[in-house]
Each structure stands twice: as structure tokens, then as C-alpha cells.
Amino acid sequence: MTDFFQYQVNRRWYRVYWAFMVAWNVSIAALFVTSQFIDTFSTVAGSYDITKTTTIIAGGSLFYLLFLYRFAVRFSQPFATLIGSMLLGLGLLHSLTNTVGAPTYVYAAGWICSTFFSGMFGLPLLSGAVFLTFVYVLLSGNYQLTHLRNVLYVLAGEEIVAAVASYIFWKHRFISVEEQKVSELSGELKSNKEQADVLIESIADGVIVTNTDGKITLINPAAAAMTGWSVVDATGVDVTLVAILHLESGEDIVPEQNPFAVVLRQKEHSSQTLQLVGKDGKKQVMSLVISPVLQPGSNTLVGAVAVMRDVSEERAAEQQRADFISTASHEMRTPVAAIEGYLALALNEKVSTIDSRARGFLEKAHTSTQHLGQLFQDLLTSSKAEDGRLSNHPSVVEMGAFMQQLTDDLKFAAEKKGLFTEFLIGSTNDAIDATNKNTVSTHVLKPLYYVYVDPDRLREVITNLFDNACKYTDQGKISIGLTGDTDVVQMYVRDTGAGIPADDVPHLFQKFYRVDNSATRTIGGTGLGLFISRKIVEMYHGRIWVESELGKGSTFFINLPRLTTQRAQSLQAEATQSTSAPVNSTSTQAKA
């Protein structure tokens, strides 16, 4: 045994001793109180020396044990219990000295119990308790307290027996404080791990954890069922061999673009809807969210965790809705186009003659019909964008010339509202006034930004962003910008309008979502423009987002992968060869 500041016994023993001390002091206090009202108890209290002094000592011990003990425990439970033991010993010594006969033996028994519990504080304190006992015996003998003589002999003998028993009992029950903390922490960790294992195995979503090399370190039964692998077989295998992923359309994913590889390389979250091909060839549409796992307090990558959810049924239901919308929109466009045509003829002065009042009615009807036709067109386009049927004819586009020409075409819509339009390329200092085309910057050489997109689709996106900027900007200017680096070409449309509330920004590119304010209710719209724009940008592996502040306007950004000049020229050469081959074949046949 050693000092209690370094070694302790199990906490339950301190609680047992605390309960013994409380019970002892409560008995003394209760006997004193009842003796004040019942004569029989008064006689017993007198023989046991239950006086005011004894009761004050017992009351002080109770006050400490019931109220102050909990604060002392925060420092050290052995220390807190030791103080209570010292208060108990003070009361026992006082009672031993002032009692005769059987009561003395009762207090002697209490002292022996106290000595036994002293062993839990270590050998030095146990020895101190024995030493104090013999000092008490010697002093009592010197004062010739003859009524105590027999008790003293018994007390000395029992004290030695109690000390030996205490040493033997407590010797193997001590544990280092540090070891106890480690043991408790290990127990908590083990408990937490068991809870985590139960949760991971019970969750309906598939969970896969990999290390930095992409090897699976954990896979739950749900993920194993989705992939067709067993948990044992999948553990330690490269995740790309277990979770075979394709685009939702079924197209292959190049190894560099595999979401697991991208997350481990870039340390960024990934959220996609992809097709998972199981070991048995079963195909499922999965919502896949992959997150990097970093060491706490640092940016060191230790692996990745993926959560998969089967959304095949949801996708099938969405496909049914999309098919219905596509068919209905296509069928309704025909009568709407006919109505719009007849209204146009009715408004043509060379075809029909109508009075001014009727013309006003017809013009309103014609405007509403055009709006209805645009709604059907947007519904049809969004339906095609969702299921991958959107027509797409990509080619190499040099964005500097493309954006300059597009700005020239769009500026008239802004001029109608008295808005200034500018085109920025390279940096915000390289501005071109879209009205008079005078270059503000002194820079002459402009970088070439090549991308591989369908120019008609990209024009549709920029036009939609520009039209929205015009609609929601009452005064100021609209800036169309182009910049980039070695990997990305960035376009943006910035306005000085009212801005977008922060709560609406995350939902802005969702289908049919519209900001609910007076401006949107007045201007109108389908809530599909930004959704279609996002789908088109994502079709070219790009990204579109918005940054906005109320009262200061909004900026819509588009990032697209940039082609190197060599790659752009190579693709242009391939396109030229593919278009010229049929012509040459035709010419040869003609000559023959």
C-alpha cells in the first residue's frame, strides 16, 4: 500500500465507509433527540454518554458528510472520506473516555471498524490509527482510569487484529489513479465503439470507411448487401473494386473522376447520384455522399467515409413524372402555338381590321399565350435535363470572343431599363463597355479561355442569368465577367439589384423554387430557369452558384473545366476530320 494521492481503492468502498459514518452519526443524533422527550431513551442516552458535546460532534460530522463531502470529493474522494473518518474518530475517543461497561465496548467496536477502514487510505494512515490507539491506551493507564482497564486490553488486542486484517484485505485492492483513469477511459471507448458498431450495423443506409489508400476498413451489412460482397470479403479490398460506380445514365467514370479518388485527393466532400453495379450485375441508383476523415486539430487525411442510399424507386417515380410532364408539355405546345399564331394574325393590320379596344385585349391574350408557351418549353427542357435527353452538341469554344458577342447581343434588354452593361475579362480592371465597346483597361493581350461545351446550351444559361439580372435590377449596371486559371474557366453575371435572402440561396437552383417576395410576385416566372441552368452546367462537369447580399446585388458564378491550347487544337482537328470525311467519300463516288 502507498499514499492515497497516488493509489486508490474502488470508489464503492469509499461509499460504503461514507454510509457507515452517516449511519453511526445519525444514530447518535437520533438518540439524543428522542431522549429529550422519552424518559426511557433519556436513561439509555445517559449511559452511552449522548450529551450535547457528543451530539455536536455527531452533528458536525453529519453536516460535513451530507453537504461538504460532495465538494471535497471533487479534489479527491480518499481525502474527502479521510476527513469524515477523522471526525468519526474524534467522537469515538470522546465516548470511550466517558462511558463505563457495555457502552464502552460498543464504542470500542466502532473504533475497530474505523481502524479496518483506515487501511483503504494506505499503510501510513493505518499505522497512524494503530499508533493513536496505543497512545490512547497508555494515557488512559497513566491516569488510572480503572473502569477502562479491561476495555483497553481488549481494544489493544483487537486493534492489532483489525490492522492485520485491514492490511491483508486492502493490499490487493489498490489501483493507480492514472491506471484507473486509463481503465475508465478504455471502458468508455469500448462502450462508445460498441454503440457505434451497433448503430453502423443497424442503419439502413450503406456505410463504407476507407483508409488513405482507398482500402476498405469498415463496411456495414447494408453496404455489403448493396454491393453483393460479404463484410469479410470486402474488408481490405480497394473500394473501387467493391463499389463499382457509373454515371446515372450508365456511362463509365474515368478512374481520375471516381468520387472516392477525388475526395481522397482533394479532401473535399462529394455528393452525387450514381449507378452502382453489384457483384451479381444488379444495377441500382444510389445517392452517394463521401466525406474526408481528418485528424482532429489538423488537416491530416486519415481516410474517407461514404454513405449510400438506394434511390432507385424514387428515380423511377421521378421518371414517371418526367415522362408525364414531357408528354403533356409536348402535346399542349401544339394548340398553344396555334392560338399564338391566330392571335398574331388577328393583330396583323394587313390581315384583319380591329378597333383599338379589341387590339388591347388581343395583345394581352397574345402575351399570356407566349408566357404559357414558354412555360411548356421550360417544362419540356427540365424534363429532358433530368433524364439526360437534353440535346447536346459540344465543340471547342473560345470564351473570350463568345462572351463578348453574347454581351453585345444581350445589352439591348438592359438598355430598355436604363441599365449600364459591361464586359470584364481577365480581371475586374479589364472592362469593356458593351455600349460603345471602348476598352477601359490599357491591357491589349487577352488570355484564351477554351472550353468544350455546346455553345447553344451555354448561351441559354448566360442569357437566363442576364435576363434575371435585368428583371430584378431597377438601376445601376450588370457586369458579365470572364476569368480563370490553368484548370478552370469562370464566368459570372453580377447585378446591383435587391439581392437574395440568405435563407433562399441554398434552394435557389431547385426545381420550381422561387424567392417569395413582392418582386417575384410582380415579375412572375416558372422557377425552372436556374434549375435548367444547373443541369446544363453539370452536364459539362461544371459548377454554378450564387453569392448575394440583400441591398447590394447578386453574382452568379459558373466554373467550367478549361482546355489547354494544345487540347483545344487537337479537338478542333478531330472535328474537322470527322466532318470532311463524308464529303470526300461523296466526291469519290461522284467521280466514279
Side-chain angles (χ1 to χ4, degrees):
M1 300 187 211
T2 186
D3 189 80
F4 66 86
F5 286 106
Q6 297 179 13
Y7 288 85
Q8 299 178 8
V9 297
N10 191 290
R11 292 180 179 178
R12 69 174 181 272
W13 292 111
Y14 297 109
R15 289 194 287 268
V16 169
Y17 191 23
W18 176 88
F20 169 76
M21 292 186 290
V22 169
W24 184 276
N25 289 296
V26 166
S27 300
I28 292 176
L31 186 57
F32 176 79
V33 172
T34 54
S35 69
Q36 303 301 309
F37 304 98
I38 304 175
D39 293 337
T40 303
F41 284 98
S42 177
T43 303
V44 175
S47 62
Y48 277 88
D49 189 43
I50 307 300
T51 62
K52 290 184 179 180
T53 303
T54 308
T55 307
I56 290 173
I57 296 175
S61 297
L62 277 176
F63 180 78
Y64 169 78
L65 291 169
L66 297 178
F67 300 102
L68 302 181
Y69 181 84
R70 67 183 65 182
F71 298 103
V73 164
R74 297 178 183 178
F75 169 70
S76 170
Q77 190 167 25
F79 178 75
T81 310
L82 176 61
I83 294 176
S85 179
M86 294 171 66
L87 292 173
L88 175 65
L90 177 63
L92 288 170
L93 286 175
H94 179 271
S95 298
L96 276 170
T97 307
N98 294 282
T99 54
V100 179
T104 306
Y105 288 99
V106 172
Y107 289 118
W111 181 267
I112 295 301
C113 290
S114 177
T115 299
F116 177 81
F117 280 111
S118 297
M120 70 169 61
F121 303 118
L123 185 57
L125 289 175
L126 177 60
S127 302
V130 175
F131 176 75
L132 183 62
T133 301
F134 279 93
V135 169
Y136 171 74
V137 169
L138 291 174
L139 290 177
S140 299
N142 291 337
Y143 283 107
Q144 298 181 354
L145 300 175
T146 55
H147 65 277
L148 283 177
R149 188 171 294 118
N150 293 333
V151 177
L152 293 175
Y153 295 153
V154 174
L155 180 62
E158 291 181 349
E159 184 73 4
I160 295 174
V161 174
V164 173
S166 177
Y167 176 80
I168 295 173
F169 183 83
W170 299 112
K171 180 173 65 174
H172 300 294
R173 285 175 169 77
F174 281 89
I175 183 174
S176 169
V177 175
E178 295 300 324
E179 292 178 3
Q180 191 171 18
K181 290 180 180 178
V182 171
S183 177
E184 292 174 354
L185 180 59
S186 299
E188 291 178 3
L189 292 175
K190 183 178 179 180
S191 176
N192 291 339
K193 184 179 183 303
E194 290 175 350
Q195 292 177 8
D197 290 342
V198 171
L199 289 174
I200 291 175
E201 291 183 4
S202 302
I203 193 171
D205 293 339
V207 178
I208 297 177
V209 180
T210 74
N211 58 19
T212 54
D213 296 326
K215 298 291 192 293
I216 295 176
T217 58
L218 184 149
I219 179 170
N220 73 337
M226 293 174 182
T227 59
W229 289 64
S230 68
V231 173
V232 176
D233 292 341
T235 303
V237 180
D238 192 293
V239 68
T240 57
L241 300 178
V242 176
I244 301 176
L245 301 173
H246 298 277
L247 296 178
E248 190 174 352
S249 60
E251 299 176 12
D252 293 336
I253 299 177
V254 296
E256 294 78 13
Q257 296 299 321
N258 186 286
F260 283 97
V262 172
V263 169
L264 291 174
R265 183 174 63 250
Q266 300 180 355
K267 301 180 183 179
E268 295 180 353
H269 296 268
S270 172
S271 178
Q272 301 181 58
T273 300
L274 301 170
Q275 186 184 91
L276 174 69
V277 181
K279 195 175 183 180
D280 55 358
K282 180 182 178 181
K283 297 179 179 179
Q284 305 165 81
V285 180
M286 292 288 173
S287 172
L288 180 64
V289 179
I290 309 176
S291 303
V293 180
L294 306 176
Q295 280 187 349
S298 69
N299 198 37
T300 303
L301 182 73
V302 296
V305 57
V307 179
M308 301 187 298
R309 174 171 295 180
D310 189 347
V311 293
S312 301
E313 294 183 1
E314 290 89 337
R315 277 293 187 267
E318 290 176 3
Q319 185 61 47
Q320 290 179 348
R321 291 194 296 270
D323 291 341
F324 170 76
I325 292 174
S326 177
T327 302
S329 301
H330 187 273
E331 293 299 326
M332 287 187 288
R333 282 179 62 199
T334 302
V336 169
I339 295 172
E340 185 179 353
Y342 285 123
L343 288 173
L345 289 174
L347 290 170
N348 191 331
E349 295 180 353
K350 296 181 179 180
V351 177
S352 60
T353 302
I354 54 176
D355 58 30
S356 58
R357 186 178 182 185
R359 176 175 293 277
F361 293 150
L362 291 175
E363 286 177 347
K364 292 180 181 178
H366 189 249
T367 300
S368 298
T369 305
Q370 287 180 322
H371 178 72
L372 185 60
Q374 185 60 49
L375 171 60
F376 290 145
Q377 179 61 45
D378 288 345
L379 286 171
L380 187 60
T381 302
S382 67
S383 176
K384 291 180 178 180
E386 280 189 299
D387 56 22
R389 293 185 294 111
L390 204 60
S391 61
N392 178 37
H393 305 286
S395 61
V396 177
V397 179
E398 199 290 296
M399 293 305 299
F402 177 83
M403 295 291 286
Q404 175 65 72
Q405 180 61 50
L406 184 57
T407 304
D408 293 340
D409 297 339
L410 295 173
K411 66 180 182 182
F412 300 105
E415 290 177 351
K416 291 179 180 179
K417 290 189 66 175
L419 301 174
F420 176 73
T421 306
E422 64 179 358
F423 174 56
L424 309 172
I425 184 169
S427 68
T428 55
N429 294 324
D430 303 331
I432 298 177
D433 185 341
T435 304
N436 56 33
K437 300 182 183 179
N438 292 326
T439 302
V440 177
S441 173
T442 58
H443 293 90
V444 177
L445 185 63
K446 301 296 181 183
L448 298 176
Y449 296 108
Y450 291 105
V451 295
Y452 191 66
V453 298
D454 186 331
D456 292 334
R457 290 299 176 196
L458 188 57
R459 182 181 292 106
E460 183 178 348
V461 174
I462 301 298
T463 300
N464 180 57
L465 298 180
F466 187 86
D467 288 345
N468 284 344
C470 289
K471 289 178 182 178
Y472 299 106
T473 303
D474 295 328
Q475 59 182 0
K477 66 179 181 179
I478 299 174
S479 304
I480 298 180
L482 175 66
T483 185
D485 55 26
T486 56
D487 300 319
V488 174
V489 175
Q490 184 175 94
M491 295 145 279
Y492 60 86
V493 177
R494 179 181 296 124
D495 63 59
T496 57
I500 303 169
D503 292 341
D504 292 305
V505 169
H507 311 285
L508 208 56
F509 296 93
Q510 295 176 359
K511 197 173 184 180
F512 297 115
Y513 188 85
R514 300 188 69 230
V515 178
D516 186 15
N517 57 32
S518 58
T520 55
R521 288 191 291 269
T522 302
I523 295 172
T526 63
L528 290 171
L530 292 179
F531 170 78
I532 295 172
S533 298
R534 177 173 66 86
K535 287 293 185 179
I536 292 174
V537 171
E538 290 176 349
M539 187 165 58
Y540 302 116
H541 307 291
R543 176 175 172 246
I544 182 172
W545 75 99
V546 63
E547 295 178 1
S548 183
E549 185 176 351
L550 282 177
K552 296 185 179 181
S554 307
T555 303
F556 285 82
F557 294 92
I558 299 173
N559 279 6
L560 292 174
R562 181 177 181 179
L563 297 177
T564 63
T565 303
Q566 293 78 5
R567 179 58 178 163
Q569 292 174 349
S570 174
L571 289 173
Q572 287 174 333
E574 292 175 5
T576 302
Q577 291 176 359
S578 63
T579 55
S580 62
V583 176
N584 294 335
S585 175
T586 304
S587 300
T588 303
Q589 293 176 358
K591 289 179 180 179

